[in-house]
Amino acid sequence: MSTSTNVTPSSERREAVIGGTLLVAIGLLVLLVQNIKTESLGLLFLPALGGLFLVAGILGRQVGFIIPGGILTGIGMGVVLTQNPALAVTD
C-alpha cells in the first residue's frame, strides 16, 4: 500500500524559498545583535526570532513554524516585560 501526497513543484519551491529566507533573516538578526552593542537589542532577539517563525508559518501555511514561533515570542516578550526598567514594579 502506498500513500501519495499532492505536492506540486510550486509548493516545494515556496517552502524552499521560505526556509532560505528564514535562515538569511536569522543570520542578519544575529549579525545585528553582535555588532550593535545595546542591551535592548539583545532583549529583542527572542521575540524577533519568534516573529520570523510566525511569519514563515503564515506565509508557508505550515503549523511546524507557528508552534515554535509562538513559544519563542511568548518567552521573549516575558523577558522583555520583566527586564524593562520602565515596566518595573517599585515598592
Side-chain angles (χ1 to χ4, degrees), residues 27-51:
L28 289 174
L29 185 62
V30 169
L31 184 67
L32 187 67
V33 168
Q34 286 181 349
N35 289 326
I36 298 176
K37 303 293 184 195
T38 63
E39 184 179 327
S40 62
L41 192 60
L43 288 176
L44 294 176
F45 179 75
L46 278 180
L49 186 62

Side-chain angles (χ1 to χ4, degrees), residues 11-76:
S11 67
E12 286 181 358
R13 177 159 168 73
R14 180 176 15 157
E15 291 173 7
V17 168
I18 289 173
T21 305
L22 183 64
L23 286 174
V24 169
I26 291 171
L28 289 174
L29 185 62
V30 169
L31 184 67
L32 187 67
V33 168
Q34 286 181 349
N35 289 326
I36 298 176
K37 303 293 184 195
T38 63
E39 184 179 327
S40 62
L41 192 60
L43 288 176
L44 294 176
F45 179 75
L46 278 180
L49 186 62
L52 289 173
F53 274 97
L54 287 173
V55 168
I58 291 169
L59 292 178
R61 298 183 186 132
Q62 294 180 344
V63 73
F65 285 127
I66 293 176
I67 293 171
I71 293 169
L72 287 172
T73 304
I75 292 172

Side-chain angles (χ1 to χ4, degrees), residues 66-87:
I66 293 176
I67 293 171
I71 293 169
L72 287 172
T73 304
I75 292 172
M77 289 308 295
V79 169
V80 168
L81 291 175
T82 58
Q83 297 298 317
N84 192 349
L87 300 174

